[in-house]
Amino acid sequence: MSKSFGRVRAVDDLSFDVPAGAVTAFLGPNGAGKTTTLRMILGLVAPTSGETAVAGVPYRDLDRPLEHVGAVLEATAFHPGLSAYQHLEAMRVAAGLGSERVGQVLADVDLGTAAHRRIGGFSLGMRQRLALATALLGRPHTLVLDEPANGLDPTGMRWLRGFLRGYALDGNSVLVSTHVLTEIQQIADHVVIISGGRLRWSGPFDGDRALEELYLEVAG
Ligand SMILES: Nc1ncnc2c1ncn2[C@@H]1O[C@H](COP(=O)(O)OP(=O)(O)OP(=O)(O)O)[C@@H](O)[C@H]1O
């Protein structure tokens, strides 16, 4: 896929696969085109050329998309006056999902005790957990996460690592864009590195090698 914004070629003839049953780290310098790529995968930005597909199907053609793909994008906006429970319930109803899902995803992200507090009073880390809970509502087989560790404290980061690892081990695809290489190093099975909108490296990653070294070699 390629994407130009006026004269800026944000993504330039980029092609890669995200395997199932694995955590894929999606890396690249500021402005490399990561967010634009994720937004194309999620049908939020139309490619200038090429296409993206989730389990072989373009996002726009997915039947009940929340049951295929869950996404956490940067700076997710919530209505501050709603509680976490009310937000999730509204999303659940809109997506036609079972009533048990809200309690389940609140428990999944360890937000049960804050379920009835107003989101306006949430910390950044709590918002990240709520964004992840929203992404999980439809039990998607694919998770797309843009900087999901942003705002999490060390305990939260450790929890997120375990969660994503477990989600991938259940056979799901987890695509994570991040700059925090030491965090993703511990759970990545597959790595895709881009810069200047182009693919610089992609392949399996066994964790023996320092991800930072690989990154600096190909993107630095
Ligand atoms: N809506 C837009 N209009 C114009 N230019 C854009 C738009 N969105 C992104 N760009 C440009 O496309 C390029 C890639 O941006 P993108 O946000 O995809 O990079 P990124 O890898 O996610 O960066 P970061 O790590 O800083 O979040 C940048 O040059 C950016 O300025």
Side-chain angles (χ1 to χ4, degrees):
M1 67 198 109
S2 296
K3 177 67 187 180
S4 298
F5 295 104
R7 272 194 241 148
V8 177
R9 201 152 170 84
V11 174
D12 189 6
D13 202 14
L14 176 63
S15 181
F16 63 91
D17 289 319
V18 178
V23 174
T24 297
F26 187 36
L27 312 175
N30 291 130
K34 301 180 298 297
T35 299
T36 303
T37 301
L38 299 184
R39 292 176 71 83
M40 285 195 277
I41 294 170
L42 296 166
L44 297 170
V45 164
T48 308
S49 63
E51 62 180 17
T52 63
V54 177
V57 179
Y59 189 92
R60 65 177 176 278
D61 295 335
L62 288 172
D63 182 33
R64 299 169 69 89
L66 292 191
E67 295 176 32
H68 294 274
V69 193
V72 176
L73 298 180
E74 279 177 305
T76 308
F78 299 106
H79 191 299
L82 294 180
S83 69
Y85 184 91
Q86 288 169 326
H87 163 79
L88 289 166
E89 182 63 8
M91 299 299 287
R92 176 195 77 74
V93 170
L97 300 165
S99 59
E100 74 291 350
R101 289 302 293 149
V102 171
Q104 288 169 351
V105 295
L106 281 165
D108 284 346
V109 304
D110 225 356
L111 211 52
T113 53
H116 297 289
R117 282 173 50 187
R118 285 176 69 249
I119 302 169
F122 276 18
S123 68
L124 183 54
M126 291 167 81
R127 285 166 198 263
Q128 286 287 46
R129 285 174 191 254
L130 180 57
L132 182 57
T134 311
L136 294 171
L137 272 173
R139 298 180 197 274
H141 55 68
T142 298
L143 276 180
V144 175
L145 311 171
D146 201 358
E147 292 287 355
N150 192 14
L152 292 183
D153 60 23
T155 310
M157 287 204 191
R158 181 180 213 169
W159 167 83
L160 182 65
R161 282 201 308 269
F163 181 84
L164 296 181
R165 188 83 287 243
Y167 210 75
L169 279 174
D170 286 344
N172 300 302
S173 306
V174 180
L175 177 62
V176 187
S177 166
T178 181
H179 292 294
V180 193
L181 301 184
T182 48
E183 284 296 320
I184 199 74
Q185 158 103 34
Q186 301 179 50
I187 57 166
D189 309 289
H190 197 84
V191 172
V192 174
I193 303 176
I194 67 171
S195 74
R198 299 188 72 97
L199 184 68
R200 303 297 167 181
W201 198 90
S202 89
F205 182 73
D206 63 14
D208 289 346
R209 184 170 186 201
L211 188 52
E212 187 182 60
E213 199 182 288
L214 172 65
Y215 175 90
L216 292 174
E217 198 178 296
V218 302

